[in-house]
Amino acid sequence: MFPPTGRRLPGRMLQLRHTADLNPVFALGVLALLASPPVVPPSEGAATAPPACVRFELAAKGGFSMPKRWKGVARLYDPETLEVVAEAAAVSNRTTVVCAAAGRSVEGAVEVAGFWIRREPVTLGAPGSLASLPLRAWPLGTITGSLAAAKDRPTAVEVTTLPARGARLGAEPPPGRMDCPVDAGGRFSCDLPAALYDLQIAPRPFVPAYLSGVRVDPAARRELGAIPMRRGASIAGWVAVDGARFEPSRTRVRLRPGTASGAPPNPHRTAQVEGATMEVPVRGDGFFQLVGVPPGVWELEAEQPPLAPARESGLRVEPETETVLREPLYLRPKEALALRIDPPLDWSGARWQVALRAWVAGTDRLEPKTVFEGNASEDGEVRLGSEPPGRFLLSVKDARGATFFSGFHFALAAGQEGRVEIRWVDVAGRLYLGKKPLAAKLWFGFGGRGVSGEPVESDADGAFALVLPFEGSWPVEIEATEGGVRAQLPALVEADRDRRARLDLRLPDTRLFGRVSLVGGRPAAGAKLFLGAEEGGAGVLIAAADSMGEFSLRGLPTGRVALAAEWRDGEGTWSAPAEIVSVADGGEAGPVDLVLRRKVRLSGRVVSAEGPVAGAVISAWPFGGAPGVLGRAGSERDGTFTFDAPAESGPLVLVPRAPGFALRAFVRPVGTEPLVLELSREAGTLEVVAPWLSDRKAMGLALAYFEDGIALPYGNLLARWAMAEGAGSAPPGDGAATIRIPALAPGRWEVCALPSYSLSFSFATGGDVPRQACAGGTLTNGATLRLEVPKPAALGH
């Protein structure tokens, strides 16, 4: 029978409670006692107070009835020790009463041959009181089955019962678990309350087997047949449909390895993922089971076209165990989603160009299919006829193709119209190099080439005009063929009441020149140059050497400039560490000779206490003396990875992103291969509060994150990690006031606000990132560290 203790499934476990008899003559005396007022003992040694009593009310459950004549025992139990407090005989057609000390909490049950009756809690009232305890009795039946011959065949199978999905409401037995002994011939047999069940038969340590719709009749035997004994880990769950018809024959469940996104393309690794992907059909009741799943972190997806798929990410599978989903995978009809843009037309009177791509739920990967790409209506409306609600990468462009709104994780919900508000600014200004007007091409915005690939041009007098999506701080990239101007600078756009702004830009009259060559002197034609300015820049500027490997750049910010180079050929990548050069207004700096050396191939391994970690994406960059461009690699099934690093570089910073493990930064010296990165599940959550981020003037600022003193980039590392962990954190400038980053390694975390160019320069040179407006604290396992970053002095008070 169902044991009184043991492991529990969700819901209350069935428990066998021993019951006791009541003496009917004693019961009559109790009733007479209840008619008299209670007697309270005046002191110790005087007569004790009358007991309180419980009247048992027994009825059959599940559509069955009790026999006309039966005998049993009714008992009251101590709920902690399960010791019998009081008992009495129980007989059909008679009132059964058991008494004990007043005010006590107990459990009561009746034991009747051929029936299962669960203990129920009851509190004894005041002295002389009588409480009622209704009990439900289930007639018993028997299940039998067999296990195949095996050296390690278990001596018992664990049977777990759940109400069958087709059971009549009110007839379901409570769920329970019990051990059925297995005899020498491999047969097992045990009694269950008569009912319709779904059964889990677990011949530990083998994979559990699932049987549906097993009917157990009273005083009858139900043969289950041979139970398979399969080794390995498994995943079990159910698929359910909400708002549509469930079609099991068209439903599939797919399991793929959980991987972080952002690793360089690798056909071998892609083949590994495809080879590890498993797909199974579902039963008629929606149940599915995947057997032989390797340990690790997995993503589960259920599909029944044309319904929206259901996904479960970050599903952890341990060796030789079964993972059971707590909730079904719900398939729902796709919804009609709507988006409205205000104003409805762009600055030229044309319709907005809109593009929408959905994020894969619970990951940092975009769905391969574009949800919408086209023009909004003349009312500024975009309607999606049939799509699942969720978060989207949203782009709104004007008729020229300039981006006027970019939502990194824009939410669209059924029945709610998403709204985008755009308040553009008409900008007019002049561009100067030193004191002279400059004819050049200008790109406004982040991400290289600004909000649009098409630049605005200044004329011979330096005059230019354009429309910007909003006022605030803007990075500007400038290029002039004549004179070799290639520069970046920040610009503050402030609009008047008519949404107009005047903007004059002045580039310092500086020149930096030099040559990029390979070891031995051969010129590196077209080598990429990476420049970061300590003061006044707007991020990392990328330029190129000419066919002779030579470069001459004008208009760079004054002060210290970090200059590095990289070049590729058919055999690999070459790089030169950063050179720090001082540039003065009205002066020249150079020649700077950058000598390229072939990058070296390094190898490493991502591991945990459970073994290798597959599907991790490792971001790596030299701890000092290199451009602030991250290199990435992906770990294989055995946890190994390789990447190229600059020759003779110093220590490396390596940050693996692996689903199911905490994000942690490692510093490893080159030459100690393999680079072993050991991950842990211990993690906490970082909440960064910075309301001033919503100020458009803050667009030239960045948040610098430090883990135990190691600076980590946000946009291409921590933001992706937060999204993969389901936080959906927004980068600065996306209207975020609070940034939440889960699953970070415990330790000292610090967040500082500083100009973007300062952060870029620090990464480019490997120097210390300056601390200006900072907040810090210690993050512990399972906790949340909330840091309120003070408003930078540059934004005023």
Side-chain angles (χ1 to χ4, degrees):
M1 285 295 297
F2 292 83
T5 58
R7 293 181 295 169
R8 295 177 179 238
L9 283 178
R12 178 162 182 167
M13 186 181 68
L14 285 177
Q15 298 176 347
L16 173 62
R17 311 286 184 167
H18 296 290
T19 53
D21 265 343
L22 284 179
N23 189 320
V25 176
F26 175 72
L28 293 176
V30 170
L31 294 177
L33 177 65
L34 295 177
S36 303
V39 179
V40 180
S43 62
E44 290 187 13
T48 58
C53 301
V54 176
R55 180 176 62 241
F56 290 80
E57 298 172 352
L58 186 62
K61 184 70 173 172
F64 302 104
S65 60
M66 297 293 294
K68 291 182 179 182
R69 295 185 180 276
W70 56 266
K71 291 182 180 182
V73 180
R75 292 191 176 98
L76 296 179
Y77 294 88
D78 183 291
E80 298 297 330
T81 65
L82 298 183
E83 293 180 355
V84 177
V85 175
E87 64 179 43
V91 183
S92 56
N93 301 322
R94 291 184 184 179
T95 302
T96 304
V97 177
V98 181
C99 301
R104 185 172 184 177
S105 294
V106 295
E107 290 183 345
V110 177
E111 182 178 311
V112 178
F115 286 83
W116 177 84
I117 303 168
R118 183 172 59 189
R119 290 194 303 264
E120 296 290 352
V122 63
T123 300
L124 297 170
S129 63
L130 179 65
S132 296
L133 181 62
L135 296 174
R136 299 293 178 261
W138 295 83
L140 290 171
T142 303
I143 60 169
T144 63
S146 63
L147 300 179
K151 292 182 180 180
D152 49 357
R153 185 172 61 196
T155 58
V157 295
E158 187 179 79
V159 177
T160 301
T161 69
L162 293 172
R165 293 182 170 256
R168 178 171 54 85
L169 185 64
E172 312 96 337
R177 180 176 291 167
M178 63 182 296
D179 287 332
C180 289
V182 178
D183 63 23
R187 297 285 299 173
F188 63 88
S189 175
C190 50
D191 295 333
L192 292 178
L196 183 66
Y197 293 105
D198 284 347
L199 293 179
Q200 181 200 66
I201 311 294
R204 308 292 183 192
F206 298 93
V207 174
Y210 289 84
L211 306 177
S212 64
V214 176
R215 181 172 296 283
V216 178
D217 295 319
R221 299 174 70 86
R222 174 63 189 266
E223 176 61 43
L224 303 180
I227 302 301
M229 293 195 296
R230 299 167 292 183
R231 288 200 172 276
S234 58
I235 298 174
W238 279 266
V239 176
V241 172
D242 186 8
R245 187 166 65 92
F246 180 43
E247 301 180 59
S249 62
R250 301 182 62 236
T251 304
R252 289 291 183 273
V253 172
R254 188 176 300 108
L255 185 72
R256 68 186 303 273
T259 58
S261 65
N266 185 320
H268 175 65
R269 191 164 54 250
T270 300
Q272 284 187 336
V273 172
E274 292 176 352
T277 299
M278 306 170 69
E279 184 175 293
V280 294
V282 300
R283 263 182 357 200
D285 60 355
F287 175 80
F288 65 88
Q289 185 183 32
L290 297 121
V291 179
V293 180
V297 178
W298 297 81
E299 293 178 10
L300 196 62
E301 180 183 67
E303 284 186 324
Q304 179 189 304
L307 303 180
R311 294 185 177 92
E312 180 85 13
S313 299
L315 199 62
R316 181 168 299 286
V317 174
E318 304 292 348
E320 302 294 326
T321 61
E322 179 160 76
T323 302
V324 180
L325 300 188
R326 294 182 178 180
E327 299 290 337
L329 295 172
Y330 279 103
L331 301 170
R332 295 179 172 90
K334 295 180 180 180
E335 304 279 355
L337 304 179
L339 168 69
R340 186 175 296 276
I341 306 170
D342 180 27
L345 300 175
D346 73 9
W347 59 275
S348 67
R351 294 190 295 171
W352 295 105
Q353 300 180 53
V354 179
L356 278 162
R357 288 186 67 185
W359 293 98
V360 177
T363 74
D364 61 343
R365 296 196 315 275
L366 286 165
E367 296 278 10
K369 178 184 175 182
T370 300
V371 172
F372 179 88
E373 188 169 17
N375 290 107
S377 71
E378 292 189 351
D379 296 328
E381 188 178 55
V382 173
R383 288 198 171 274
L384 308 177
S386 182
E387 289 296 332
R391 294 187 177 273
F392 298 82
L393 179 62
L394 169 63
S395 170
V396 179
K397 298 182 179 182
D398 67 4
R400 301 173 308 164
T403 301
F404 270 57
F405 180 87
S406 180
F408 193 64
H409 45 81
F410 192 83
L412 287 177
Q416 298 179 8
E417 192 174 66
R419 299 189 68 84
V420 173
E421 185 179 32
I422 298 173
R423 292 291 177 262
W424 63 70
V425 182
D426 291 306
V427 181
R430 289 184 182 275
L431 174 65
Y432 299 89
L433 177 63
K435 296 181 180 180
K436 296 181 179 179
L438 178 65
K441 296 178 180 180
L442 299 89
W443 291 266
F444 285 73
F446 294 92
R449 296 305 185 186
V451 296
S452 170
E454 294 297 323
V456 59
E457 296 190 18
S458 60
D459 60 19
D461 295 326
F464 64 87
L466 77 158
V467 179
L468 288 176
F470 46 80
E471 62 179 336
S473 180
W474 284 86
V476 185
E477 185 175 336
I478 300 167
E479 182 179 301
T481 304
E482 294 184 10
V485 174
R486 189 77 170 83
Q488 284 179 336
L489 79 168
L492 181 60
V493 177
E494 296 180 294
D496 60 20
R497 293 182 178 179
D498 297 324
R499 307 299 298 170
R500 298 179 182 276
R502 179 71 190 181
L503 181 65
D504 290 332
L505 303 175
R506 180 185 178 276
L507 295 173
D509 188 7
T510 58
R511 178 171 179 256
L512 175 63
F513 65 98
R515 182 172 183 266
V516 185
S517 62
L518 305 179
V519 176
R522 183 162 64 95
K528 281 187 177 180
L529 300 167
F530 303 91
L531 297 96
E534 187 174 25
E535 296 287 343
V540 175
L541 175 66
I542 300 176
D546 62 18
S547 58
M548 298 301 297
E550 296 178 348
F551 60 88
S552 177
L553 305 172
R554 298 185 64 191
L556 300 178
T558 58
R560 296 202 307 165
V561 175
L563 177 64
E566 190 172 272
W567 185 72
R568 293 178 182 274
D569 62 8
E571 299 179 4
T573 305
W574 302 63
S575 67
E579 294 278 350
I580 307 299
V581 183
S582 294
V583 179
D585 196 358
E588 294 185 345
V592 178
D593 290 323
L594 298 175
V595 179
L596 299 168
R597 291 177 172 81
R598 188 182 299 280
K599 286 187 175 182
V600 295
R601 178 61 55 90
L602 300 179
S603 62
R605 193 163 182 252
V606 186
V607 299
S608 71
E610 295 88 8
V613 177
V617 173
I618 302 92
S619 298
W621 63 96
F623 196 58
V629 178
L630 302 183
R632 293 188 180 92
S635 65
E636 308 284 344
R637 292 290 300 274
D638 60 357
T640 59
F641 64 90
T642 60
F643 65 96
D644 293 335
E648 302 177 3
S649 64
L652 298 174
V653 178
L654 301 107
V655 182
R657 290 185 287 119
F661 295 93
L663 184 89
R664 179 189 167 194
F666 298 84
V667 177
R668 293 286 188 267
V670 176
T672 58
E673 297 183 78
L675 304 169
V676 179
L677 312 178
E678 185 168 357
L679 301 182
S680 170
R681 303 193 195 284
E682 292 190 356
T685 297
L686 179 64
E687 281 190 359
V688 180
V689 182
W692 49 266
L693 282 176
S694 58
D695 188 341
R696 290 298 184 184
K697 295 180 181 180
M699 292 186 65
L701 297 171
L703 292 178
Y705 293 77
F706 302 86
E707 181 202 355
D708 292 331
I710 304 172
L712 302 180
Y714 177 80
N716 51 5
L717 187 81
L718 294 179
R720 299 196 72 153
W721 177 254
M723 175 167 268
E725 292 295 317
S729 296
D734 204 22
T738 299
I739 297 174
R740 183 173 179 271
I741 311 175
L744 297 178
R748 173 73 182 179
W749 284 86
E750 190 176 11
V751 182
C752 301
L754 66 158
S756 300
Y757 62 78
S758 181
L759 184 61
S760 299
F761 182 80
S762 299
F763 272 109
T765 61
D768 291 335
V769 177
R771 269 77 159 173
Q772 296 178 0
C774 301
T778 299
L779 179 64
T780 58
N781 183 37
T784 296
L785 175 62
R786 184 178 175 89
L787 300 179
E788 297 187 10
V789 181
K791 185 177 182 179
L795 294 181
H797 299 287

